[in-house]
Amino acid sequence: MELNLTGRDKHSTPDELQNLSAVMIHGDDIFVDQGAIHGKSRLERGIDFRAAKGPEDVPNGEKIAVIWVTLKTYEAGRGFSGIASAELVIDFPHGIGYKAMGPLVNQMDRAVKGRVDVSNLTSEQKAKLADFLQQLRADLWANTPDEVKAQLA
């Protein structure tokens, strides 16, 4: 008997994730890190997330905002569509952290579906994100609906 196996030899991305990006805010730094989509951002590497059952288990942790951002083609062209944020808590010197997978995945899903939920960001973080997106791709920002932009004000 012979097994007839097929498979892919290249990594592929599901269609619904092709327009997804991850923006991270860590203190004064803000940057795109696509590794966050798979839980492997540069800030997450080497951190033990199994040790903490909740954020209180990371007493010296720093809060890191993970913002899922998606694109959509509008009449005027491609622009930002879904923007949803979640949070990580990491104690870098001790190599431990906490991330609630439910909120991270749910917020990613909201962004993929074109929803905006940045309720856990401070007004300073929202302004920083708006400035970052404008500078990153002015063309995308120009095509973004006002109702999306307003939620970052």
Side-chain angles (χ1 to χ4, degrees):
M1 176 177 218
E2 188 177 307
L3 292 176
N4 191 9
L5 301 175
T6 61
R8 297 180 186 162
D9 54 353
K10 293 184 179 180
H11 177 75
S12 65
T13 302
D15 288 342
E16 61 271 8
L17 298 182
Q18 285 183 349
N19 291 316
L20 179 70
S21 293
V23 175
M24 301 187 84
I25 300 176
H26 176 219
D28 291 332
D29 294 333
I30 184 167
F31 52 92
V32 174
D33 191 330
Q34 290 301 89
I37 293 171
H38 301 288
K40 297 178 192 294
S41 70
R42 72 180 194 207
L43 297 177
E44 294 171 276
R45 289 186 207 130
I47 302 298
D48 182 4
F49 287 99
R50 296 168 296 164
K53 302 294 183 221
E56 64 280 353
D57 294 334
V58 190
N60 298 316
E62 298 176 44
K63 292 181 179 183
I64 291 114
V66 179
I67 302 109
W68 309 113
V69 180
T70 56
L71 301 175
K72 179 179 176 180
T73 302
Y74 299 99
E75 248 182 70
R78 290 176 64 77
F80 298 109
S81 171
I83 303 172
S85 59
E87 190 174 80
L88 306 174
V89 179
I90 300 177
D91 179 343
F92 292 100
H94 294 100
I96 61 169
Y98 173 74
K99 61 179 166 182
M101 290 306 295
L104 279 165
V105 171
N106 289 337
Q107 290 297 76
M108 181 189 291
D109 185 58
R110 284 183 181 95
V112 167
K113 290 178 178 171
R115 298 187 187 131
V116 179
D117 179 4
V118 290
S119 57
N120 70 322
L121 295 181
T122 65
S123 56
E124 181 181 276
Q125 288 174 318
K126 289 176 190 178
K128 185 180 285 197
L129 178 61
D131 289 344
F132 178 77
L133 294 175
Q134 287 174 23
Q135 292 174 17
L136 182 69
R137 290 285 305 270
D139 60 322
L140 295 176
W141 186 257
N143 295 330
T144 299
D146 289 338
E147 57 270 16
V148 172
K149 293 177 187 177
Q151 294 190 53
L152 296 179

